Amino acid sequence: MNQIRYDKVLNPAQLTAVMTTEGPLLVIAGAGSGKTRTLVYRVARLVETGVPPEGVLLLTFTRKAAGEMLERAAGLADERCRNVSGGTFHSLAHRVLRQHAGFLGFSTNYTVLDRSDMEELIQSLVQEMQVDKGSIRFPKKSTLANIISKAANLEKGVEDLMTDEYAQFLEYAPQVNKLSRLYGEYKKESQFMDYDDLILFFRKLMAENQGIREQLGRQYRYIMVDEYQDTNAIQADIVKWLAHDHHNIMVVGDDSQSIYSFRGANYRNMFEFPKLFPETRVVKLEQNYRSTQPILNLSNAIMNQAEEKYTKCLFTERGDGNLPRVVDARTEPEQAMYVSQAIREQLDRGLSLKDMAVLFRAAYHSFELEVELARRGIPFVKYGGFKFMESAHIKDLLAHLRSVVNREDTISLGRILRLVKNIGQNKSQAIIQWMREEKCHPWQVAEWPGAGKGDDGLKGLAQLLRQLGGKGTGPKRAIELAIEYYEPILKERFDDFPRRQRDLEQLLPMASRYQKLRSFLDDLTLEPPNSAADMGPVDRGDCLTLSTVHSAKGLEWAVVFIIWVMDGYFPSAKANSGMEAIEEERRLMYVAATRAKDELILCYPGQESPRPWVSNDGGAIPYTRGLSSFIQSLPSGVVEYGSMGTPFKTRDVSWVLKKAGLRREEHETKGRGLRAGDRVRHPAFGQGVISKLQGEDKVEVLFRDFGRRLLHLGYTRLEKV
């Protein structure tokens, strides 16, 4: 057994968290502040002081995370740390329910349904319900499982959830609601529980049975919860009941890194914890061990604007370093070229590709960059969404164009034939064989002599291929025609067709820069075999990382690029739905910025015309063009501004306003004399009413079409109506 000198290996805040073993403790762990280290040493400390390992409970979001922490603790102090009870909320719930399910009307031999079991059961119930077979829009079993599961996790009605997130299927809300009820009844009759039931029934068990609650309190005298900002309301209740008797509970998290509301996570659990346990002690871990101070200054400034937060100020002993850079790359192609060239320059300085990452708000934001990286031979691996050229819907669409450009491309021809109703593998092979023997043009596909009454779809395909092969059809027009033809197929094949439709539309501006269809297709396919599936571990280590911000959480790189830092992209246009959505976007920006260790570069194509974001119900939501409002409102001296081909300078945000033809003084003048209740007009959001004033420089406005928006009078134009 090793004797640990805690004061030598922990900073003062970490030491306080580790040595405070009695009573409730809320640890606010800023990005890169040694959160895991603190948990590991606290486990070691508890065991070292004589607490039986089995009496310590460590709850994490993956079993792997718990196992790694306990292994580290065992290596530090005492091998008995491996006997600490570690795991997820679901695994703990399962252990308890196996003993006490009888209190809920279940046998202790109940069966746990995994995701595939859940989907198969749902599919069988849909068939029994005899939902309209003629509909191509009724959700597939995976989407139905998502709806039912998320409604359960959020404790929300199915129809309310569909209104918010699955509006494209809202016409079927009554059927989905009935399906959810039948699914619940079938599970109870058959002694089934799915993953969501485990935590729901676990909470119910503890809330209604004092004896079981007391037993668990005696069994687990000391409880720790990791990533508390990512818990939902059900899990927060479980924490409350587990520590109900002894209050020896430590939760660790960062409200500024709560970015999973779409999974049901509620960052407010961080603020509610002291209300559950009034004697809570709050400890803030603010010393960062990852980034330089200039990067932390930017990160702090982003979160200083947040409406609701635990105020903290990240600091580091790495005081030197370059200011983060904000680059106006003018256009989307130039943004891709700038990032690619900057990566080449970093490689020339001796940095490895594995030390760099490009982050973005949504998966489709990287499509142009992927093509440019491929053109330059820079290997990459992408996380979050599919690589552009590997997406099924992108392959489907481009196959139509390839079939016209190359009559010998039987792979593409076979792919598009199998998209036609009633054409399967055998028929498609027969058609291809006939066309090769007869030396037919692609648009003659409908003349196949084997076509029957059910093969009318061949006529529509033939008509499209004839249009694509026309002399006056340029690449952009070809994409437009192909999208128009493919859209009904897209809606039938994919439940998330609104998102995939946005992906397809990304091809339009790319195609508009080409004169010939063949050149456009050639450039799209000039890509090295660098998908995650094609590469071994060694190869992946030498790749640039492209990632959505959600997939990058918890990771770090020496150099980080954040692209599309524009209103409508980051923050997303979806954030127009309300203040809570804007606040989550702000936290996403904070997470993105704090991934960087040495250099941070934020890019945006300032001259690009905004493209409307397509909502789930297919409606277009307009948004404004310009540098992200999160960056515009930063104080002076936090970043350097520049553009393609110009040197960087440290400027305050008035430089950005000047580019838009505005002066800060004009904004301040226009902001005077405003009062709650005034009707105002905003150049992007239209008419609204001021709901409240916040200090001298901020107003909250309720807009008719965009909901509540918090505006800084120094950087916005409001006109009294």
Side-chain angles (χ1 to χ4, degrees):
M1 183 187 298
N2 301 321
Q3 192 70 32
I4 301 174
R5 294 287 304 275
Y6 294 96
D7 59 332
K8 300 296 183 184
V9 293
L10 300 171
N11 67 39
Q14 292 171 339
L15 185 64
T16 299
V18 168
M19 304 304 281
T20 305
T21 57
E22 302 297 317
L25 189 64
L26 172 62
V27 178
I28 311 297
S33 63
K35 167 181 69 71
T36 301
R37 181 182 183 84
T38 302
L39 284 164
V40 167
Y41 275 92
R42 194 170 194 267
V43 168
R45 171 66 179 169
L46 286 166
V47 174
E48 182 185 79
T49 56
V51 176
E54 297 80 7
V56 180
L57 175 64
L58 173 62
L59 289 174
T60 61
F61 272 81
T62 66
R63 289 188 181 185
K64 181 182 177 184
E68 288 175 351
M69 287 188 205
L70 298 182
E71 280 296 318
R72 284 178 59 181
L76 284 172
D78 191 322
E79 287 193 0
R80 291 182 303 152
C81 290
R82 292 190 180 91
N83 297 326
V84 164
S85 300
T88 65
F89 281 91
H90 291 83
S91 63
L92 173 63
H94 183 235
R95 289 200 301 268
V96 175
L97 288 169
R98 276 294 178 214
Q99 297 177 348
H100 303 294
F103 286 96
L104 301 166
F106 279 84
S107 162
T108 53
N109 294 320
Y110 66 85
T111 298
V112 178
L113 300 175
D114 63 18
R115 182 57 181 234
S116 61
D117 295 332
M118 180 184 182
E119 291 183 6
E120 290 306 314
L121 174 53
I122 285 171
Q123 184 62 29
S124 67
L125 292 172
V126 168
Q127 291 170 353
E128 287 180 20
M129 287 170 60
Q130 297 185 329
V131 176
D132 182 14
K133 294 290 197 308
S135 170
I136 64 170
R137 288 178 59 87
F138 192 74
K140 293 179 170 56
K141 60 184 180 182
S142 59
T143 302
L144 292 167
N146 287 338
I147 293 170
I148 292 171
S149 177
K150 188 164 185 182
N153 273 289
L154 292 177
E155 299 183 280
K156 197 172 187 178
V158 165
E159 190 160 349
D160 290 339
L161 179 74
M162 292 181 69
T163 300
D164 292 341
E165 302 186 30
Y166 294 89
Q168 68 266 41
F169 298 119
L170 199 53
E171 63 186 290
Y172 291 108
Q175 290 95 321
V176 179
N177 197 49
K178 180 182 178 183
L179 172 66
S180 178
R181 179 174 53 79
L182 292 174
Y183 174 65
E185 292 171 355
Y186 190 95
K187 285 187 297 179
K188 191 68 180 285
E189 293 169 3
S190 305
Q191 295 292 298
F192 290 155
M193 288 191 199
D194 60 28
Y195 289 148
D196 304 315
D197 292 327
L198 291 176
I199 61 169
L200 281 163
F201 285 135
F202 183 33
R203 178 183 66 175
K204 181 178 174 66
L205 187 69
M206 286 194 294
E208 296 178 356
N209 294 271
Q210 183 180 348
I212 293 173
R213 196 164 61 232
E214 291 174 349
Q215 177 190 329
L216 289 170
R218 289 191 298 270
Q219 182 176 352
Y220 301 119
R221 294 292 299 172
Y222 295 90
I223 302 168
M224 286 170 281
V225 184
D226 189 19
E227 303 284 10
Y228 192 65
Q229 79 279 351
D230 292 333
T231 54
N232 61 25
I234 303 165
Q235 291 161 327
D237 280 348
I238 289 172
V239 167
K240 175 187 70 176
W241 291 122
L242 282 171
H244 183 268
D245 293 337
H246 53 65
H247 289 200
N248 295 328
I249 171 80
M250 180 178 91
V251 299
V252 184
D254 183 4
D255 53 294
S256 298
Q257 295 188 73
S258 181
I259 57 174
Y260 296 116
S261 65
F262 64 92
R263 295 180 188 168
N266 186 356
Y267 77 100
R268 285 203 173 88
N269 286 347
M270 296 287 291
F271 302 101
E272 295 294 325
F273 184 82
K275 298 177 184 177
L276 295 177
F277 302 98
E279 70 274 33
T280 293
R281 183 174 182 180
V282 178
V283 175
K284 296 179 182 179
L285 305 185
E286 297 174 295
Q287 183 169 356
N288 178 281
Y289 294 91
R290 175 187 299 154
S291 308
T292 62
Q293 192 60 52
I295 292 173
L296 297 182
N297 290 342
L298 167 67
S299 306
N300 289 331
I302 288 171
M303 287 313 299
N304 281 343
Q305 306 166 30
E307 284 292 290
E308 189 176 17
K309 61 184 179 294
Y310 277 109
T311 302
K312 58 184 176 295
C313 185
L314 296 178
F315 68 93
T316 180
E317 294 180 357
R318 299 185 63 201
D320 296 333
N322 297 325
L323 284 176
R325 283 175 281 166
V326 177
V327 183
D328 181 355
R330 296 197 291 252
T331 66
E332 185 176 6
E334 287 176 294
Q335 176 177 248
M337 287 188 284
Y338 170 79
V339 172
S340 301
Q341 183 58 36
I343 288 167
R344 279 286 179 206
E345 291 171 1
Q346 294 286 356
L347 292 174
D348 292 342
R349 295 182 191 132
L351 210 63
S352 170
L353 279 174
K354 66 182 179 182
D355 295 323
M356 293 181 274
V358 183
L359 307 182
F360 30 85
R361 174 63 183 84
Y364 71 90
H365 291 172
S366 68
F367 288 169
E368 181 89 30
L369 176 62
E370 290 176 45
V371 174
E372 183 64 26
L373 291 171
R375 188 181 292 125
R376 293 174 181 247
I378 298 175
F380 63 89
V381 61
K382 182 176 178 180
Y383 299 96
F386 293 101
K387 285 175 64 177
F388 186 40
M389 297 301 292
E390 293 174 356
S391 304
H393 52 301
I394 298 292
K395 284 186 169 185
D396 286 349
L397 194 89
L398 295 179
H400 293 86
L401 279 62
R402 291 195 174 108
S403 298
V404 172
V405 169
N406 179 8
R407 287 167 54 179
E408 303 303 317
D409 186 350
T410 55
I411 294 176
S412 293
L413 184 57
R415 187 181 188 101
I416 64 176
L417 282 170
R418 288 190 294 275
L419 294 174
V420 176
K421 190 175 182 180
N422 297 327
I423 302 291
Q425 185 71 31
N426 293 336
K427 273 190 181 180
S428 66
Q429 288 179 348
I431 294 170
I432 290 170
Q433 183 65 28
W434 169 76
M435 293 180 73
R436 294 185 74 171
E437 290 173 355
E438 298 297 323
K439 295 182 172 50
C440 293
H441 293 288
W443 49 86
Q444 293 178 288
V445 64
E447 299 172 18
W448 177 51
K453 291 182 179 179
D455 299 324
D456 289 346
L458 290 174
K459 294 178 182 178
L461 176 61
Q463 182 180 355
L464 171 69
L465 297 177
R466 183 176 294 278
Q467 290 176 303
L468 294 178
K471 289 185 178 180
T473 306
K476 183 180 180 183
R477 179 57 182 157
I479 294 291
E480 290 172 341
L481 290 168
I483 289 176
E484 184 179 349
Y485 168 83
Y486 181 66
E487 190 173 352
I489 301 172
L490 181 78
K491 290 181 177 179
E492 182 175 2
R493 293 193 72 198
F494 306 105
D495 281 351
D496 60 344
F497 60 85
R499 178 186 66 79
R500 292 179 187 261
Q501 188 167 348
R502 294 197 294 276
D503 292 352
L504 296 176
E505 288 167 357
Q506 297 303 307
L507 290 165
L508 290 169
M510 296 161 115
S512 66
R513 295 188 287 275
Y514 291 82
Q515 297 296 319
K516 294 184 178 180
L517 189 55
R518 185 182 294 276
S519 301
F520 171 58
L521 294 173
D522 286 347
D523 274 0
L524 282 179
T525 53
L526 285 175
E527 182 173 13
N530 58 4
S531 71
D534 293 338
M535 296 187 298
V538 176
D539 296 322
R540 290 194 202 183
D542 294 329
C543 284
L544 172 73
T545 295
L546 306 184
S547 178
T548 60
V549 181
H550 283 101
S551 296
K553 187 172 179 287
L555 304 176
E556 59 182 43
W557 295 270
V559 177
V560 170
F561 298 85
I562 309 175
I563 60 174
W564 279 110
V565 185
M566 291 178 73
D567 280 342
Y569 291 86
F570 202 168
S572 164
K574 289 185 285 186
N576 288 330
S577 61
M579 188 55 64
E580 285 199 8
I582 278 286
E583 290 299 293
E584 178 138 341
E585 295 289 312
R586 190 189 314 282
R587 296 193 293 271
L588 269 169
M589 185 69 80
Y590 170 84
V591 168
T594 51
R595 300 309 96 200
K597 294 194 287 187
D598 303 324
E599 287 196 56
L600 177 63
I601 302 98
L602 302 97
C603 302
Y604 72 107
Q607 294 178 13
E608 285 289 345
S609 297
R611 293 192 289 275
W613 178 82
V614 180
S615 63
N616 282 338
D617 60 3
I621 300 175
Y623 50 76
T624 54
R625 176 179 67 185
L627 177 62
S628 170
S629 52
F630 299 147
I631 306 304
Q632 286 190 41
S633 52
L634 292 173
S636 61
V638 174
V639 296
E640 289 182 320
Y641 292 95
S643 57
M644 292 282 285
T646 64
F648 287 90
K649 295 182 179 180
T650 306
R651 302 167 171 141
D652 65 20
V653 77
S654 61
W655 174 82
V656 181
L657 298 171
K658 187 176 179 182
K659 285 192 67 180
L662 307 170
R663 291 201 308 275
R664 188 167 182 158
E665 297 76 25
E666 289 178 352
H667 287 264
E668 292 171 345
T669 301
K670 288 184 180 292
R672 292 172 185 166
L674 293 175
R675 295 179 300 177
D678 283 350
R679 294 186 177 276
V680 292
R681 181 182 290 108
H682 185 276
F685 304 136
Q687 289 194 22
V689 177
I690 295 178
S691 52
K692 63 180 176 181
L693 306 178
Q694 296 195 6
E696 298 180 356
D697 56 0
K698 293 179 184 176
V699 293
E700 183 184 89
V701 184
L702 179 60
F703 290 103
R704 181 179 57 196
D705 298 324
F706 292 92
R708 294 185 188 278
R709 302 300 295 265
L710 183 66
L711 304 174
H712 195 298
L713 294 175
Y715 314 121
T716 193
R717 178 185 296 171
L718 281 181
E719 177 186 350
K720 273 191 180 182
V721 177

